[in-house]
Amino acid sequence: MLQPAEVIETVYRADWGRIVAALIGLVGDFDLAEESAQEAFTAASDQWRTSGVPEFPRAWIIQTARHKAIDRIRRRKSFDEKLESYVVSGSLRTMEEPDYDTSEIPDDRLRLIFTCCHPALALEAQVALTLRTLCGLETDEIARAFLVPMPTMAQRLVRAKSKIRDAGIPYAVPETNELAARIGAVLTVIYLVFNEGYTATRGGPLVRGELCAEAIRLGRLVRTLMGLRWPAEAAGLLALMLLHDARRNARIDEAGDLVILEEQDRHLWNQRQIAEALPLVQEGLHGRPGPFAVQAAIAAVHCQAARAEDTNWKRIVRLYDLLGQVQPSPVVSLNRAVAVAMAEGPQPALVLIDALASSNDLENYHLLHAARADLHRRLGSSAEAAKSYRKALALVTNDSERRFLERRLREVQSTAD
């Protein structure tokens, strides 16, 4: 039987978005909703140790958080006066207020994503705010997704919430003709949620399965919602997540340690998900493909190879060339260099990575140093490999990845000795 602390952790990871979305629907205030939810989890930690875990833990948290929010409103101002102001502003629904048309956006959390992705906010702020509010990601986790320092991301979140409050941005479902302006940010935030689930920023487990599942669920909803208005990129995103997630069970061994792609047991890959995703890849490539569609095509090349040595790396390099045109970034350049290493050998790839490193854009990105270390390892330059592995270890925050890098470092050090 799970202990109260374990139940609280499970509910937090799996249901934070549902809880905060419900509270925002009640009070129309991001900060108040988050603070009340945090207080409810704290109360659960104190009470469940003595009273036991309730039959419906999530419902208990929501109800407690609701009471906490109302108490906070009462303390700030007369509850009746505050409630009236909420009703007048439209932030808080009443029984007499017409409900929104949920046939267009059929999920509270999806509605919250579209609300966060208001065009008055910068794209980075839209995505960061959604990750914090809907998914409960910590500031350092979001900073990692954007490759920016944590203080920068903290300031960005504060400014986003202030903008919503000061500009009076409504917490409302966008009209149908406004959806297209927000879909880019919505797709981006869903993928960043998936990425955090696929390779967790910190802690022991490499994978947070509940975040992967949540992102895929939201991806399906968005694709259904957009219909024929934005089919290609929504299909590409869903395909990309399905293909990556299909390899989940092969990415870690029984000890919880990372297994790299070329060493994975491909019999463990989820063939049902791969079969579902491949037609979506083709759908995403119709017309002028977007970045998610191109990334899905890259993932499909991996998933269609029965053995690691059968992978068509030259095709992957060409797809990265296309991705670099569609969405140029240092990370895309790094991934292309890794593909070049597999297609042409480590030496030409090392030239590319050294040039990328000289720009300092990825100096704090542990995968840059890990990739450079692996190339030196393959070239037999054990001392240089060890140097880069140490840099990667100084930056990595996930325990599973750390153990993998430590193991590689020990291997090259023994070779050097």
Side-chain angles (χ1 to χ4, degrees):
M1 184 175 181
L2 292 178
Q3 296 298 310
E6 295 173 310
V7 176
I8 290 170
E9 176 69 15
T10 299
V11 173
Y12 184 90
R13 285 177 173 270
D15 294 321
W16 172 266
R18 291 184 178 92
I19 293 166
V20 172
L23 291 169
I24 289 179
L26 171 70
V27 301
D29 186 305
F30 277 86
D31 283 329
L32 180 57
E34 287 187 72
E35 290 164 3
S36 301
Q38 293 285 8
E39 287 186 3
F41 276 104
T42 300
S45 179
D46 293 337
Q47 295 182 32
W48 294 0
R49 283 199 300 267
T50 55
S51 63
V53 177
E55 183 178 1
F56 302 105
R58 185 179 73 199
W60 190 99
I61 294 286
I62 291 176
Q63 186 67 15
T64 301
R66 180 180 181 276
H67 291 314
K68 298 285 186 184
I70 292 173
D71 287 343
R72 279 175 169 265
I73 293 172
R74 282 181 174 139
R75 288 197 299 268
R76 291 178 184 174
K77 205 170 185 180
S78 165
F79 176 74
D80 292 337
E81 182 180 347
K82 191 68 173 180
L83 182 62
E84 179 63 24
S85 71
Y86 277 1
V87 172
V88 171
S89 69
S91 298
L92 179 62
R93 291 196 227 163
T94 67
M95 292 299 293
E96 292 75 28
E97 183 183 2
D99 203 352
Y100 294 113
D101 181 4
T102 57
S103 64
E104 289 195 348
I105 304 183
D107 182 271
D108 282 340
R109 284 159 291 174
L110 194 58
R111 286 199 292 271
L112 181 54
I113 288 181
F114 275 100
T115 300
C116 289
C117 295
H118 193 282
L121 301 175
L123 177 60
E124 294 85 354
Q126 295 174 22
V127 176
L129 185 60
T130 310
L131 288 170
R132 177 72 194 106
T133 305
L134 184 76
C135 304
L137 300 193
E138 300 295 339
T139 304
D140 65 328
E141 295 174 315
I142 305 171
R144 170 182 176 272
F146 282 91
L147 301 178
V148 299
M150 188 171 69
T152 300
M153 182 52 63
Q155 293 174 1
R156 189 174 294 174
L157 288 167
V158 169
R159 286 196 298 267
K161 292 177 181 179
S162 298
K163 174 79 172 182
I164 288 175
R165 183 185 63 248
D166 297 342
I169 294 174
Y171 300 102
V173 177
E175 298 293 336
T176 301
N177 60 3
E178 297 176 341
L179 293 179
R182 305 192 195 183
I183 189 65
V186 169
L187 295 179
T188 299
V189 76
I190 291 173
Y191 188 52
L192 288 175
V193 171
F194 179 84
N195 274 344
E196 180 57 35
Y198 195 66
T199 305
T201 300
R202 60 185 181 180
L206 178 68
V207 176
R208 293 177 60 180
E210 77 283 353
L211 284 184
C212 292
E214 173 71 356
I216 290 173
R217 188 191 67 81
L218 291 172
R220 293 187 195 280
L221 282 174
V222 168
R223 181 167 177 265
T224 301
L225 168 71
M226 297 308 293
L228 297 176
R229 286 169 288 183
W230 200 297
E233 193 65 340
L237 171 62
L238 180 56
L240 176 61
M241 294 188 295
L242 286 170
L243 290 169
H244 281 329
D245 191 64
R247 305 198 300 261
R248 186 202 308 177
N249 291 336
R251 293 184 65 231
I252 55 176
D253 61 19
E254 293 181 355
D257 289 335
L258 173 67
V259 180
I260 59 175
L261 179 60
E262 61 191 85
E263 296 177 0
Q264 289 176 11
D265 180 355
R266 300 188 176 215
H267 293 97
L268 298 176
W269 290 2
N270 188 326
Q271 295 300 323
R272 181 188 60 78
Q273 283 191 195
I274 294 172
E276 179 188 356
L278 292 179
L280 294 172
V281 173
Q282 296 305 313
E283 181 181 330
L285 291 175
H286 286 166
R288 185 177 180 180
F292 292 124
V294 178
Q295 291 177 73
I298 293 170
V301 176
H302 287 296
C303 288
Q304 289 174 303
R307 303 176 303 166
E309 53 267 33
D310 297 333
T311 305
N312 189 341
W313 285 104
K314 290 185 178 179
R315 173 165 173 73
I316 290 176
V317 171
R318 292 195 297 271
L319 286 168
Y320 271 119
D321 289 337
L322 176 59
L323 183 59
Q325 297 172 20
V326 174
Q327 190 182 56
S329 77
V331 173
V332 170
S333 298
L334 174 62
N335 291 336
R336 181 186 180 277
V338 173
V340 167
M342 301 303 294
E344 303 175 21
Q347 189 58 57
L350 187 59
V351 173
L352 295 174
I353 286 183
D354 284 344
L356 188 60
S358 66
S359 69
N360 291 323
D361 289 334
L362 298 178
E363 180 61 28
N364 295 320
Y365 189 50
H366 75 278
L367 292 179
L368 169 73
H369 303 290
R372 175 191 260 170
D374 186 64
L375 295 178
H376 280 298
R377 180 184 66 85
R378 293 170 57 187
L379 288 168
S381 304
S382 298
E384 286 297 320
K387 180 180 177 182
S388 290
Y389 277 129
R390 292 189 189 98
K391 286 185 178 180
L393 281 165
L395 296 168
V396 70
T397 54
N398 180 272
D399 293 345
S400 181
E401 288 185 290
R402 177 181 299 280
R403 290 193 298 272
F404 172 80
L405 293 171
E406 288 172 341
R407 185 167 68 251
R408 282 285 200 239
L409 176 58
R410 289 193 297 269
E411 290 172 1
V412 296
Q413 285 177 328
S414 65
T415 302
D417 295 341

